[in-house]
Amino acid sequence: MCGIMGYVGPRPAAPVLLEGLRRLEYRGYDSAGIAVERDGSIEVVKAAGKLDRLAELLDGAAPAGSVGIGHTRWATHGRPTDANAHPHCDPTGDFVVVHNGIIENFYDLREELVANGHEFASETDTEVLAHLIGEEYDGDLAAAVRTAVDRAQGAYALVVMSTRDPDKIVAVRMISPLVVGLGDGETFLASDIPAIIEHTREVLIVEDGEMVTITRDGVTLETMAGEAVDRDPLVVEWDVAQAERGGFQHFMLKEIHEQPTALAETLRGRLQVDGKVSLDAIDLPGFAAGLQRIWITACGTAYHAGVAGKEVLETLLRVPVDVVYAHELRYRDPLIQPGDLVIAISQSGETVDTLVAARLAQDKGARLLAITNVVGSTLSREADDVLYTRAGPEIAVASTKAYLTQLCALYLLALRFGSERGVLSSGRVAALAERLLDLPRQAEQALGNAEHVAEVARRISNAQDVYFIGRGLDHAVAMEGSLKLKEISYIHSEAMPAGELKHGTLALIGEGVPVVAIVTQQHVYDKSVSAIQEVRARGAVTVAVAYDDDEEIERYADEVLRIPRTADLLSAPLAAIPLQLLAYYAALEGGHDIDQPRNLAKSVTVE
Ligand code: M6R
């Protein structure tokens, strides 16, 4: 996720671009840049770091000109450095691009260009697009862009300017968002509405597979095949604050709704339908085959992803997996051996407990694999291998899309290791891959039940205590559901394996106490149902999270939160969605500060 901005009009472009990028900083903030064209020459200013660094560089020295493009980056390919910041140019400097998305086949394209004598100034996937456009240009910028993107696989919103075709911006969209703001004698281009809302409320949405050309004479929208598209602009009613949250009341809700896209990004270019997994630069064949033990270390929600990961990895790989809180691991003398794999999971890559535990693992000779969302974070720099979750910035303190994408990354690892160790048949791998590839769509389906979840949340929002139960993978999800509820609604909650209730906690279950049971694991279905009956017999209000074709569950639960059926081993991301919504709506009912709950910080960088 990155933020893109463009401007054609009578005003100096630089301040308009900078202001727009500020409103898009929630999409990425590890580097930023602008390119401004004047009298057929283009000046690029860019810098690693937050937008303020770019603002400092532009202060008193902004390039003059009233046509320009800008970018705020959330790194996916290449660290956040000055060189990797957008805009990127072709070798002549005549073609300048900014890009949001991922070009999956960029290695191949880059190798081909290098073989033809191209030299690259950055490590990004984006730069290949600038080079390709330069190669293809033959007097028509739109035609060159069309031919170049025809060769690119992946997701993009790509915005292009050229000294050879001045006073013009050409942009294309495939999956990554792009909108055009229609002002009075001026036109804006952006990844999202907040960037342009202070200038105009008339917005044209660019759809997948469309190209937009902006000149001083106006805007042309067409398909990639060159057919004109006639679309009426929308009139946006949101205020600026609402617009920054995509129209949602809170960032948390926005991020919950971003999960289908986030999952698609985690999977993009990494998983084939036959189950073949390619994980960026991670190359572990011999290592994976000889692996004796895996450790997972993390805190909070990331730890819960690790608990689910243990179930998945042990089931599929038949290798022992230890999951240890990072703040516990660091003060132990853990039996980590050289040759073990330690997976450290951290959204931010800056949680100090996780960093210290990860260093300890490396000192003991383990190979350290980081699952993180932030390119260039401390964890990503220190790890031997990194698997990025590509969820985009997570603003709300309560982690949602980071969790789902961490789970997804663990599934990818499990499939990859399973194949490398020869413990999974190709049929099993392909069957799981098919289901995994369907997760983004199913997540969207699960979100469709939000209204019902909100009703149930209202029903439990006055509770003193809520209990979450489940068995196996369902227990891992119960832990995350409980954490979500307590951190934002301030209702005390506990999670436990369903079988553990009768060993003590059942004493606390009485009239009206809500018990949320996650019931997706078919091999223990009857056992989970027995636990629901036990608590119901004591007056509990029972809420089940179950597959949408599970009719039997209606007999035992007072409320059923539905998710689409998938392979049981893949149910965790889907089952988490209603629990996130349950927490959100319970907190909303309580009138709490949902995005910034009391006493908590987004990233815990102190011990
Ligand atoms: O950035 P990290 O993933 O390392 O953060 C770990 C925890 O602090 C974090 O998941 C925390 O538990 C969340 N607030 C939970 O929603």
Side-chain angles (χ1 to χ4, degrees), residues 4-8 37 67-69 95-99 133 137 140-147 149 156-162 165-173 178 180 189 206 210-215 218-220 222-224:
I4 281 182
M5 189 64 201
Y7 178 74
V8 178
E37 184 244 302
V67 178
I69 59 180
F95 297 89
V96 183
V97 308
V98 293
H99 164 228
I133 293 165
Y137 184 78
D140 181 345
L141 185 59
V145 173
R146 221 173 249 130
T147 318
V149 296
Y156 45 80
L158 175 72
V159 182
V160 188
M161 281 196 325
S162 174
D165 212 340
D167 277 6
K168 182 186 279 181
I169 293 176
V170 174
V172 286
R173 172 192 172 158
L178 198 61
V180 178
L189 193 66
V206 182
E210 290 179 351
M211 169 180 270
V212 62
T213 304
I214 302 172
T215 64
V219 178
T220 318
E222 55 194 334
T223 64
M224 289 304 281

Side-chain angles (χ1 to χ4, degrees), residues 55 68 83 131 214 306 366 401 414 417 487 509 531 580 582 592:
H131 287 232
I214 302 172
K401 60 179 180 169
F417 288 174
E487 73 177 322
I509 308 296
Q580 296 167 342
L582 192 72
H592 303 302

Side-chain angles (χ1 to χ4, degrees), residues 88-96 113-114 116-121 127-135 164:
H88 290 286
C89 306
D90 81 318
T92 65
D94 288 349
F95 297 89
V96 183
L113 288 160
V114 168
N116 290 340
H118 283 244
E119 283 182 19
F120 282 80
E127 195 184 345
V128 299
L129 295 173
H131 287 232
L132 279 177
I133 293 165
E135 284 243 310
R164 314 247 196 115

Side-chain angles (χ1 to χ4, degrees), residues 91-395:
T92 65
D94 288 349
F95 297 89
V96 183
V97 308
V98 293
H99 164 228
N100 169 28
I102 293 171
I103 305 302
E104 292 164 11
N105 58 338
F106 97 97
Y107 283 114
D108 296 343
L109 294 172
R110 187 175 163 127
E111 267 175 26
E112 184 189 311
L113 288 160
V114 168
N116 290 340
H118 283 244
E119 283 182 19
F120 282 80
S122 77
E123 305 158 322
T124 63
D125 52 344
T126 303
E127 195 184 345
V128 299
L129 295 173
H131 287 232
L132 279 177
I133 293 165
E135 284 243 310
E136 298 297 342
Y137 184 78
D138 192 13
D140 181 345
L141 185 59
V145 173
R146 221 173 249 130
T147 318
V149 296
D150 220 29
R151 304 198 53 205
Q153 289 155 15
Y156 45 80
L158 175 72
V159 182
V160 188
M161 281 196 325
S162 174
T163 55
R164 314 247 196 115
D165 212 340
D167 277 6
K168 182 186 279 181
I169 293 176
V170 174
V172 286
R173 172 192 172 158
M174 185 54 72
I175 300 169
S176 306
L178 198 61
V179 299
V180 178
L182 305 172
D184 188 8
E186 54 187 355
T187 309
F188 307 83
L189 193 66
S191 299
D192 203 353
I193 293 169
I196 54 179
I197 202 167
E198 66 175 318
H199 305 296
T200 176
R201 290 181 174 269
E202 238 181 275
V203 175
L204 197 59
I205 307 288
V206 182
E207 301 287 2
D208 284 350
E210 290 179 351
M211 169 180 270
V212 62
T213 304
I214 302 172
T215 64
R216 294 194 185 280
D217 299 328
V219 178
T220 318
L221 187 61
E222 55 194 334
T223 64
M224 289 304 281
E227 288 153 17
V229 174
D230 189 15
R231 179 169 306 129
D232 289 335
L234 302 173
V235 178
V236 180
E237 307 289 354
W238 302 334
D239 61 28
V240 173
Q242 259 179 318
E244 273 168 350
R245 297 188 297 264
F248 291 97
Q249 201 176 341
H250 295 96
F251 277 109
M252 182 184 176
L253 192 60
K254 174 172 183 272
E255 286 159 8
I256 289 173
H257 281 270
E258 279 171 358
Q259 292 181 120
T261 312
L263 286 171
E265 288 306 318
T266 313
L267 292 169
R268 183 174 307 291
R270 290 170 167 167
L271 179 63
Q272 314 292 321
V273 268
D274 62 0
K276 192 168 175 290
V277 178
S278 44
L279 297 178
D280 312 335
I282 301 177
D283 189 16
L284 300 162
F287 181 78
L291 198 55
Q292 298 292 317
R293 186 173 214 98
I294 298 175
W295 299 75
I296 300 178
T297 192
C299 303
T301 289
Y303 172 82
H304 297 153
V307 177
K310 173 184 164 74
E311 286 286 326
V312 172
L313 290 163
E314 284 189 343
T315 306
L316 293 179
L317 307 183
R318 311 306 301 157
V319 173
V321 180
D322 284 87
V323 196
V324 189
Y325 282 115
H327 38 84
E328 288 290 312
L329 190 75
R330 62 183 289 194
Y331 292 115
R332 274 191 201 168
D333 183 11
L335 299 170
I336 297 174
Q337 303 285 332
D340 286 357
L341 176 69
V342 174
I343 303 174
I345 309 175
S346 172
Q347 186 285 130
S348 61
E350 302 295 347
T351 299
V352 75
D353 287 323
T354 308
L355 291 176
V356 176
R359 286 174 196 146
L360 175 75
Q362 278 182 315
D363 290 347
K364 288 195 169 277
R367 184 157 178 166
L368 177 67
L369 190 155
I371 295 180
T372 183
N373 195 29
V374 182
V375 178
S377 57
T378 309
L379 184 63
S380 76
R381 292 197 308 273
E382 295 186 2
D384 300 301
D385 305 283
V386 187
L387 184 52
Y388 290 111
T389 47
R390 302 179 183 159
E394 196 178 59
I395 311 284

Side-chain angles (χ1 to χ4, degrees), residues 14 183 200 227 232 246 270 300 307 348 379 415 434 445 452 471 542 573 577 598-599:
T200 176
E227 288 153 17
D232 289 335
R270 290 170 167 167
V307 177
S348 61
L379 184 63
L415 286 190
E434 193 188 341
Q445 229 178 306
H452 176 54
R471 286 177 181 261
T542 54
I577 291 173
R598 68 186 180 207
N599 306 339

